[in-house]
Amino acid sequence: MSEFLSLHDAVARYVQDGATVAMEGFTHLIPFAAGHEVIRQKKRDLTLIRMTPDIIYDQMIGAGCAKKVIFSWGGNPGVGSLHRLRDAVEKGWPCKIEILEHSHAAMACAFEAGAAGLPLAVFRGYIGSELPSVNDQIKFIECPFTGERLAAVPSVRPDVSIIHAQRADRQGNVLVEGIVGVQKEAVLAAKHSIVTVEEIVDDLGATPNACVIPSWAISAIAVAEKGALPSYTHGYYGRSNRFYKEWDAIARDRDTFTQWLDNNVFNAADNVGGQA
Amino acid sequence: MSEFLSLHDAVARYVQDGATVAMEGFTHLIPFAAGHEVIRQKKRDLTLIRMTPDIIYDQMIGAGCAKKVIFSWGGNPGVGSLHRLRDAVEKGWPCKIEILEHSHAAMACAFEAGAAGLPLAVFRGYIGSELPSVNDQIKFIECPFTGERLAAVPSVRPDVSIIHAQRADRQGNVLVEGIVGVQKEAVLAAKHSIVTVEEIVDDLGATPNACVIPSWAISAIAVAEKGALPSYTHGYYGRSNRFYKEWDAIARDRDTFTQWLDNNVFNAADNVGGQA
Amino acid sequence: MSLEYTSSEMMSVTAARALENGMTCFVGIGLPSEAANLARLTHAPDVVLIYESGTLQTKPDILPLSIGDGELCESALTTVAVPEMFRYWLQGGKVDVGFLGTAQIDRFANLNTTLIGDYKAPKVRLPGGGGAPEIATNAGEVFITLKHSKRAFVKDVDFVTTLGFGRDGKGRDNVPNIGKGPTRVITDLCVMKPDPGSKELVVVSLHPGVSREEVIEATGWEVRFAEQLESTPEPSANELEILRELKARTERAHADA
Amino acid sequence: MSLEYTSSEMMSVTAARALENGMTCFVGIGLPSEAANLARLTHAPDVVLIYESGTLQTKPDILPLSIGDGELCESALTTVAVPEMFRYWLQGGKVDVGFLGTAQIDRFANLNTTLIGDYKAPKVRLPGGGGAPEIATNAGEVFITLKHSKRAFVKDVDFVTTLGFGRDGKGRDNVPNIGKGPTRVITDLCVMKPDPGSKELVVVSLHPGVSREEVIEATGWEVRFAEQLESTPEPSANELEILRELKARTERAHADA
C-alpha cells in the first residue's frame, strides 16, 4: 500500500545518494516539483534515467545531482540544446558526468521489459545505427524461429521512479490521463516509487480501462499542486512553452543558472516548478 | 481505411479455406455472429487460434471448419468440457484435428509480439512444465546480459482476425471497452481484420486513453447487433451464463449438436449468436 | 458448540483463511475464486483479487461463472489488456499468491490439467494449462484447493502442466526468479504442506471429524502426516453465513442470466 | 503570375506535397511537423499524423512546440503509451512514411543527430537519436526535410545515428523486415532522391529561381543532378495562405502560454 507523505519526506526516504532514478513523463506530467526537492536535498551521484532529459534533468545536472545520465533524446523540445547537460558532458561542470545513450524505441521497450520483470527487451532496432558502437549495453540476438537478428537491451529497473499524475484517491490509487508516456512502466519497473499528484479526491472518476496505478504498486504519494510546471497536467493546466524558451537563456550561462536555482529552488517557499 | 460490409460479405472476402484465423474476445465480446457466418459459409481447413476456444470454436469445430486449433485453455468456462473439441481430438469427428497448446502467458505474449511485428515473444515461462515436450514451437533462449534462460514462442500472425466491439464511428474507428483481452493485438497482428460492432455512431464518446482501433488498421466493419451473445458486450447486454450451462447438454451428443446447428445457425434468419 | 457445515464449506473456509488481508492474489476460477472472495468478505477486506481476464483489484458481489464475467470488470479498480496482465502484473512480480485448482496433483504438488492417459491418445482430454503454468512460477507462493480423492491425488501426475516441485521435488532448486511454489494444499479433508526438505506433501492439519484413514484412503501415494498433526479450526457462524449468502446470491444471478 | 514567398515557405510546401492523402505518417518535430500539418490542412485532409508521444491520428490546430504538447493529445483519435507506440504502431508496420529532420545528412542519406566531432570528446553535442533510428528502418519509407547548407550536407556524417543507406550505400541490402529508407530529401533549394543503383542522393528538382551553383555551393560533396532535372512547382496562393495562418496561430498561442 502506498503511504501519503510530504514531498520532502518521500524524497528523503526513497532517493538515496548513488541511486538509479527514473523521473518520467513524456513532455507531459514531468515531475518538476520532485526534481526541485531532489536538488534542495542535495542528492549526489545519481544515475538519472529518462527518455528525454528535458529541463528537469538539465536543472538537476546543473545542480550537481548526477554522475550518469541514460537517455535517448537530450534537448530542450522545440527550442534547442540542454546547456547544463552539454556543459557537464563537454566541460565537466559542475562535475563530470557519464552518458549512456539509446534510441526512444530501445528505452520504451526497456521500460516495458522492466515493468514486465524481464532482464532484457528484444526489438527490431538499431539497424545500421552506430549507437551500438558507443553503447556496450546494446547487443543482438538471433530469433530461434526465423534466424532474424534482433536488438536486445537490458531492461530498466530503477531503484526509485518518480512520476507526476492528475490525482489519487484516499486509498492511494492513482489516475494518469492524457499522454501517459512510460510512466506506468517506470513505476512498475522500480523497487520504490513516488507519485506526486495535483490533488487527492474521493473518487478517481476513471473509465473501465483508464490508466490507474493501484495503491499497492506505489511506495509514496505526495501532493504537489502544479507539480509538473513548466510541463503540464492534462485537465489541470497547460504547458508553459514560454518558460521552455526562456530556459535557453537562463541555462546558457553558469551564473544566470546558479542565480535562477538560488531564487527558484533553494530559496523557494513552495514545491512548484518554479518558473519565476 | 476500413470498409463497411455486411457480415456475409466480410467473411466471404477475408476468410479463405485453409486460412489461419484468430477470433478473439476473452470471455467478453466473443464474435459469435461472425463464427456462425463462418459456419454458414462452410469454410474448411481453418487453423483456429484462440486463447480460450470457448463455445465459439466448439461450434466451429463441430461444424467441420477446423483442421487445427492453437489454444491455451479449452474448456466451457465454469461448466466443464468442450465436447465438440474433445470429440474431434479423441475420436476424429467430424474430422481429425491437430492441436497445438500453450499457456495463457505464452499466447498473450505471442499476440503482443504479433502486434509488435516481431517474429517471437520472449517471457519467463514454462519453467518445469511438460508442455515444451509436446509443443515443438516452444524454445528457450539465453539472456545475453544475465544468462537467464527464458522461454520463446513464435508470434501470432493470423491471416485474418475477427473481433466484436461496442461501436464504430462513421469513419470506421472502433471503440473496445471493458475486458479488452487480446483483441487489439489480434487485429494489429493480422494481415486482414474484421470487426463486428453493436452499432455505428456519430461519436465514439471515447476518453483520451480509451482502447480505440483506428479505421486504417481494420479491413472491414460489419454491424452485428447482439453479435457477441451468448458472450456479452459491456454496456450493452450481459453474458448468458444459462446458455453456457445448456451448451453442455447440447454439445455432449452429436445429434443434438447437429440439430442445434441446423436450427440456430444454418436456418437462422439473423446473424445473432443464436441461443434459442 | 459445533455448527452444522459440509466438507465443501470446511474446505472453502479453510482456503479463505489462508489469505491474509492486503495480499495480492491471482485467482483461479471455481473453488479458488469462492475462497478468495469469502476471504475478502470476512477477515481480509483489503485482499487484492486479480483475475487473468485483466481485472485488477476486483470486488464481485456474486461469484463469476467464467474468468471474465462482466461483474469482474464492473467492480474492478481498472481492467488491463491480457498481455499486460501476464507481463506487468504476474511476471512483473506484483502477485503475492496464486490460488489454483487442478484436476490432478501429485506428491510433489505438480498439477495436471492437460489430460489423463497418453498425450497422443488421451483417455480424457482436460482443458489445458490456461494461466496456471506461469502463475505457479511467477507468483510469490501458490495455494491449491481441490476435493480429496484417489483420482485427483496421484503419486505421479500423467502430465506436468504446472510445476509444483518437479517429478523429483527439486524442480525449483537453483532456478532464478522463481516463486516459492505451493506452500499449502487445502482439501475437503485436510491441509497439506510440502516437507521443507523433500518437498513431498505432508498432512499438517486434519479437518474436524476426519480420520487419518480417510485421508490415506483418498490419497494415491503413501501419504505422511506431520508429527505435530493439528486439527483445522472449525468455520465460524459468520463465515458460514457469508459463504452461504454468497453462494445463494450467485446461484440466483446465474439462473437469471 | 509569380507569388511572393520565402525559400522556407517553398520548402514547407514542397515537403507537404510529398505526403499523399490517407498515408499514415510518423511525424518528427519542427519542419516535418509543419509540413505534415500543412498537408493535412490542404490537399491531404485524411493524412494520419502520429507523434512519438503516443498521440494517434492527431489534428492539432496549432503546431506543437514539443512532441507532446497538450494540443496533440486533445485532438487525437486516441493516445497510447509510448512503448505501445513504438512496438505496435511503428515496429508493427502501421506507418507508411516517417518524416524526419536532422542536423547532418550525408550523400547516402545517413542522418547524424548525435554529435559533431569525436564521440569521446565532442565539438558539439547534439540531442541524440530519439525516435529516428527505428522510424527510419520500420516505416515504409522516409522523407527528410532540412535547410540546405555545407554544414548540414556532408560527404560523410560524423556519426550515423540513423540509417539512410549506410556508409557504402548498401546498408539495407539483404536486411529482412526493413523499410525502403529515404525516398526524398526536401530542402529550401531543391528535392533530392537516392540514385536507384548507388543510393547516392541526386538532385531531381530545383526550386524556382535556384541555380545548380547554389546547390553545389551548399552541398558538402560533389553533388550530381538528374538528367531530367525538373523545376519544383511553385506554392499556390492557397497553400501559402494556410501555411502563414498556421504559423501565425502557432506564434500567438506559444507567446501566450
Side-chain angles (χ1 to χ4, degrees), chain B residues 39-57:
Chain B
I39 292 172
R40 267 193 295 274
Q41 295 190 19
K42 296 193 160 56
K43 301 295 182 184
R44 288 295 176 266
D45 298 323
L46 303 179
T47 292
L48 296 176
I49 306 175
R50 232 183 102 77
M51 292 182 67
T52 59
D54 202 272
I55 290 179
I56 186 174
Y57 279 6

Side-chain angles (χ1 to χ4, degrees), chain B residues 12-162:
Chain B
R13 186 182 303 173
Y14 291 112
V15 182
Q16 306 303 325
D17 283 355
T20 297
V21 183
M23 303 178 73
E24 266 298 342
F26 200 91
T27 312
H28 178 220
L29 290 173
I30 301 178
F32 272 93
H36 291 182
E37 187 56 36
V38 171
I39 292 172
R40 267 193 295 274
Q41 295 190 19
K42 296 193 160 56
K43 301 295 182 184
R44 288 295 176 266
D45 298 323
L46 303 179
T47 292
L48 296 176
I49 306 175
R50 232 183 102 77
M51 292 182 67
T52 59
D54 202 272
I55 290 179
I56 186 174
Y57 279 6
D58 211 34
Q59 293 173 353
M60 292 171 68
I61 291 164
C65 302
K67 76 163 181 210
K68 181 172 179 178
V69 184
I70 301 175
F71 70 101
S72 40
W73 193 85
N76 179 346
V79 179
S81 289
L82 292 176
H83 299 291
R84 296 296 96 227
L85 170 62
R86 282 185 56 181
D87 201 16
V89 171
E90 296 170 11
K91 310 240 167 69
W93 190 91
C95 51
K96 259 219 109 35
I97 62 167
E98 190 186 336
I99 60 169
L100 190 74
E101 64 184 309
H102 277 291
S103 67
H104 276 353
M107 285 198 75
C109 291
F111 271 105
E112 196 275 346
L118 291 174
L120 85 167
V122 174
F123 63 107
R124 184 176 291 117
Y126 287 129
I127 299 171
S129 171
E130 291 175 358
L131 283 165
S133 71
V134 296
N135 180 339
D136 63 6
Q137 295 293 287
I138 301 168
K139 296 186 189 272
F140 293 88
I141 65 164
E142 194 177 279
C143 171
F145 302 103
T146 61
E148 184 178 354
R149 182 173 179 263
L150 295 163
V153 294
S155 62
V156 169
R157 315 232 40 191
D159 294 319
V160 55
S161 287
I162 307 179

Side-chain angles (χ1 to χ4, degrees), chain A residues 143-171:
Chain A
C143 171
F145 303 103
T146 61
E148 184 177 352
R149 183 174 178 264
L150 296 163
V153 294
S155 61
V156 170
R157 314 228 45 187
D159 293 320
V160 55
S161 286
I162 306 179
I163 67 165
H164 186 71
Q166 272 88 354
R167 50 190 177 270
D169 66 21
R170 298 191 193 284
Q171 289 70 49

Side-chain angles (χ1 to χ4, degrees), chain A residues 52-76:
Chain A
T52 59
D54 201 272
I55 291 179
I56 186 174
Y57 279 6
D58 212 34
Q59 293 174 352
M60 292 170 68
I61 291 163
C65 302
K67 76 162 182 213
K68 181 172 180 179
V69 183
I70 301 175
F71 71 101
S72 41
W73 192 86
N76 179 345

Side-chain angles (χ1 to χ4, degrees), chain D residues 58-225:
Chain D
T58 179
K59 302 180 172 186
D61 188 50
I62 56 166
L63 295 175
L65 181 68
S66 80
I67 206 83
D69 277 20
E71 177 83 3
L72 292 173
C73 175
E74 281 155 28
S75 66
L77 177 64
T78 193
T79 298
V80 301
V82 166
E84 177 178 327
M85 176 54 79
F86 281 95
R87 290 177 73 79
Y88 289 5
W89 300 94
L90 179 60
Q91 186 178 267
K94 306 299 178 192
V95 173
D96 296 324
V97 53
F99 214 140
L100 299 175
T102 184
Q104 257 191 354
I105 182 170
D106 70 18
R107 67 197 191 285
F108 292 118
N110 300 300
L111 310 183
N112 174 19
T113 53
T114 302
L115 82 173
I116 307 297
D118 177 66
Y119 193 83
K120 291 284 173 197
K123 248 185 285 181
V124 182
R125 177 64 230 194
L126 300 167
E134 282 76 20
I135 294 172
T137 52
N138 286 321
E141 63 184 314
V142 178
F143 299 162
I144 298 158
T145 182
L146 75 162
K147 279 177 102 89
H148 221 128
S149 79
K150 219 162 194 147
R151 210 167 50 106
F153 283 74
V154 297
K155 189 171 179 220
D156 295 288
V157 286
D158 290 31
F159 188 89
V160 179
T161 313
T162 298
L163 178 69
F165 297 99
R167 291 201 178 272
D168 58 0
K170 302 183 199 300
R172 288 175 190 261
D173 296 358
N174 306 314
V175 177
N177 302 311
I178 194 167
K180 277 189 281 189
T183 50
R184 66 183 82 189
V185 180
I186 301 112
T187 80
D188 51 341
L189 302 181
C190 66
V191 178
M192 304 170 104
K193 292 190 177 179
D195 177 275
S198 72
K199 303 298 184 189
E200 184 176 309
L201 288 174
V202 172
V203 180
V204 296
S205 179
L206 283 176
H207 295 346
V210 174
S211 68
R212 290 180 182 234
E213 288 62 39
E214 281 175 84
V215 174
I216 290 166
E217 190 51 44
T219 306
W221 70 88
E222 282 185 39
V223 66
R224 291 191 296 125
F225 294 80

Side-chain angles (χ1 to χ4, degrees), chain A residues 17-40:
Chain A
D17 283 356
T20 297
V21 183
M23 302 178 74
E24 267 298 341
F26 201 90
T27 313
H28 178 220
L29 291 173
I30 302 179
F32 272 94
H36 291 182
E37 187 57 35
V38 171
I39 292 172
R40 266 192 295 273

Side-chain angles (χ1 to χ4, degrees), chain A residues 28-103:
Chain A
H28 178 220
L29 291 173
I30 302 179
F32 272 94
H36 291 182
E37 187 57 35
V38 171
I39 292 172
R40 266 192 295 273
Q41 295 190 19
K42 295 192 160 57
K43 301 296 182 184
R44 289 294 177 268
D45 298 323
L46 302 179
T47 292
L48 295 176
I49 306 175
R50 234 184 99 78
M51 293 183 66
T52 59
D54 201 272
I55 291 179
I56 186 174
Y57 279 6
D58 212 34
Q59 293 174 352
M60 292 170 68
I61 291 163
C65 302
K67 76 162 182 213
K68 181 172 180 179
V69 183
I70 301 175
F71 71 101
S72 41
W73 192 86
N76 179 345
V79 179
S81 289
L82 293 175
H83 299 291
R84 295 297 96 226
L85 170 63
R86 283 185 55 181
D87 202 15
V89 171
E90 296 169 12
K91 310 242 167 70
W93 191 92
C95 51
K96 259 220 114 28
I97 61 167
E98 190 187 336
I99 60 169
L100 189 75
E101 64 183 310
H102 278 290
S103 66

